Amino acid sequence: MSFTLHNYVLSGNCYKIRLMASLLNVTYESIAVDFHPGQEHKSEPLLQLNPAGTLPVLTTTDGTVLTETQAMLVWLAQQHDPSNSWWPVHSKPQITRVVQWLGFASRLTATVGELRLHSMLNKPVNVTAVKTGAKVVLRELESHLTEQRINNLQWLTGDTPTVADIACFPYTALSPDAGIEHDDYPAIRRWLHRLRSLPGFITMPGIYELHELRKPDGYTVSDATL
Amino acid sequence: MNGIEHALEYWYPIAMHNELSNGQTRRARLLEKELLLSGGANDSLTVTCNERPLALQSAFDHWWVTLSENPLPLFTIPEADEAERRFVPCGVVRVACSPLRAVENFLDIAHFPFVHTDVLGAEPHTEVYKYDVKIDESKDEVIASNIRFYQPQAAKSAEGGIETEYIYRVPAPMVAILYKTCPQKADAMDVIALFVQPLDEQTCDVWPWMALYDDTSTMADLIQFQQLIFLQDRSILENQIPRKLPLDPGLEIPTRADLTSISYRRWLKKRGAYYGALENC
């Protein structure tokens, strides 16, 4: 076990860590936290671990506690990706772009993520503000992915996936949970499909496996057919 | 008429026990009416609609409310009195779908391998074997029994795949209860229920509840297992068209595996439970 994850099955941020660990083939111990209905993340033991009262919380075997999801992704890649492709330390321009998109991921959480919690669990939010914000953020992502496509780049920051793609993936993929369908975002759809095709990809409620990938002959849909 | 008069005759879940502390209030919606919930001393609750207090009763770890002066009796779950079970209220999830579609989806087995992949089903084990459905005339409930299905992880407590036996009960139009093989206790069945609070004909709050034999899993693990399953259904439910449930076969062509659903739809139609159903279909 390389780390312990305080985990909630419906959280897009927790899923980022589960997904990254699976893509890197890392095992870990998961501790279920009763986020809903128990509000356990706001309970005293959890607040002692993470005063921000957010999930996930990642604890490493040497006792380091990480409470920021994007930092956890970087830690995982640094520890468990010998190829240095998920956290591309050898390319200064690319790593700058990766950090840019790690920041962008927080905007997805604050808009799509909040709207989703409202739609699903009736969390009180300013619905108009987060809905408008969510569409602005998704439109920015769509424009960027379209530009990447024109430059023949498949991923957010280059021609290989990085932690930035994982950071931006869940809440973009889960926007239908919040009532925002993907119909208006073709470049996003293509990117989501590509991410779901990665070896080691795992699902969460609202994000499904590509069914064609389960065919026994290993048949996959090529990008050209999308 | 959209069946609201019929729907008004029933009790609906509105809150979990101990959800509101003394002095705490919360707004809620039921059958297009706005309600105000107020927590009182000793875990009590009052619910009002336009300042009129509503009848309340406590059952299955939830508060149940009715808008009727003369409601039908609340259904029973005898297993709720078995003290050795773990009782697990799982919170509430809002779904933008007809309350009847939420119930019907809960009664369906055929979708397990495709929606709950590697948990409640897996390819190539997709066959729904012949099973029995009847209307229990004494209780006026839909009962489906003798259902068997291969499940990779039938419950949090299951270790490896098992062939699971299911029984379904529909004791009220917006309540579904299932009994399934208990992985930890050979002679008993776990109980999982879906209590649906209709906000309007196309929106509902769903309160899953379980009564299990499982003395190893933590409460958080049990709740998350159920939430994992139900949230896998949510996105499917929100995409079902037409949004209201057609009661006659024709618009949606049933197959043999849909026997429970067919009986449920007929039973709704027979009793005039049209709230959330498609008119003239």
Side-chain angles (χ1 to χ4, degrees), chain B:
Chain B
M1 118 120 179
N2 66 5
I4 197 161
E5 292 85 354
H6 180 269
L8 285 169
E9 300 302 307
Y10 292 86
W11 294 87
Y12 296 99
I14 200 75
M16 293 195 309
H17 282 175
N18 309 331
E19 186 188 317
L20 276 78
S21 51
N22 193 359
Q24 196 181 357
T25 61
R26 170 163 78 75
R27 294 192 178 281
R29 200 151 180 262
L30 176 66
L31 294 166
E32 301 164 37
K33 303 267 193 307
E34 303 300 325
L35 310 184
L36 181 67
L37 280 59
S38 312
N42 304 320
D43 301 324
S44 63
L45 183 77
T46 51
V47 180
T48 56
C49 179
N50 295 328
E51 296 177 7
R52 174 174 72 100
L54 299 177
L56 266 180
Q57 64 173 306
S58 155
F60 326 124
D61 303 297
H62 289 77
W63 287 104
W64 296 74
V65 71
T66 182
L67 291 156
S68 168
E69 304 281 340
N70 187 22
L72 294 164
L74 185 66
F75 61 92
T76 60
I77 305 178
E79 293 76 12
D81 299 325
E82 295 175 7
E84 60 273 31
R85 285 179 185 265
R86 298 268 301 275
F87 298 105
V88 189
C90 299
V92 62
V93 177
R94 180 155 301 173
V95 189
C97 77
S98 156
L100 305 180
R101 285 214 182 266
V103 168
E104 186 191 59
N105 174 76
F106 191 74
L107 305 174
D108 180 57
I109 309 137
H111 77 287
F112 286 173
F114 310 105
V115 177
H116 309 296
T117 312
D118 299 335
V119 184
L120 300 185
E123 292 179 81
H125 309 281
T126 58
E127 184 174 352
V128 178
Y129 302 109
K130 189 176 177 298
Y131 61 91
D132 304 316
V133 183
K134 63 169 185 183
I135 307 293
D136 181 328
E137 298 291 349
S138 66
K139 294 187 190 148
D140 197 16
E141 293 186 0
V142 181
I143 308 274
S145 59
N146 208 14
I147 299 165
R148 289 169 300 123
F149 205 74
Y150 173 81
Q151 300 200 314
Q153 197 193 349
K156 187 71 203 172
S157 60
E159 286 172 20
I162 53 172
E163 186 167 282
T164 312
E165 188 189 342
Y166 273 76
I167 297 167
Y168 286 99
R169 274 178 66 196
V170 183
M174 296 180 198
V175 174
I177 305 166
L178 71 79
Y179 297 74
K180 65 186 288 187
T181 308
C182 173
Q184 285 201 351
K185 198 165 162 30
D187 56 338
M189 294 186 100
D190 282 338
V191 181
I192 305 174
L194 216 57
F195 306 142
V196 181
Q197 171 195 345
L199 308 194
D200 54 51
E201 285 194 278
Q202 296 185 32
T203 320
C204 53
D205 275 356
V206 178
W207 305 81
W209 175 84
M210 306 190 286
L212 312 174
Y213 287 102
D214 180 336
D215 43 27
T216 50
S217 306
T218 68
M219 202 66 164
D221 274 324
L222 294 173
I223 291 171
Q224 290 197 28
F225 184 78
Q226 180 56 32
Q227 289 184 349
L228 167 82
I229 310 254
F230 186 65
L231 272 290
Q232 288 175 335
D233 287 314
R234 183 178 180 272
S235 56
I236 309 289
L237 281 167
E238 295 200 336
N239 283 292
Q240 287 182 342
I241 304 288
R243 302 189 53 84
K244 294 192 204 173
L245 186 73
L247 299 187
D248 289 335
L251 201 58
E252 294 177 341
I253 310 295
T255 68
R256 170 101 216 157
D258 300 319
L259 211 57
T260 316
S261 163
I262 299 163
S263 302
Y264 173 59
R265 292 180 185 202
R266 276 191 197 137
W267 177 81
L268 290 173
K269 189 173 181 178
K270 192 178 158 197
R271 57 174 48 215
Y274 290 113
Y275 194 77
L278 205 58
E279 282 170 69
N280 308 319
C281 273

Side-chain angles (χ1 to χ4, degrees), chain A residues 63-123:
Chain A
T64 304
V65 178
L66 298 176
T67 60
E68 292 294 335
T69 311
Q70 275 60 261
M72 297 174 206
L73 292 173
V74 173
W75 179 83
L76 266 170
Q78 282 180 335
Q79 296 289 316
H80 298 285
D81 173 28
S83 73
N84 287 317
S85 70
W86 289 97
W87 177 243
V89 283
H90 300 307
S91 168
K92 284 183 183 176
Q94 192 182 7
I95 212 152
T96 306
R97 293 195 296 273
V98 168
V99 175
Q100 165 79 11
W101 287 101
L102 290 178
F104 184 88
S106 302
R107 290 174 60 202
L108 282 162
T109 308
T111 53
V112 183
E114 287 293 289
L115 188 61
R116 174 173 170 266
L117 282 178
H118 171 76
S119 306
M120 258 171 37
L121 303 180
N122 203 18
K123 179 179 178 176

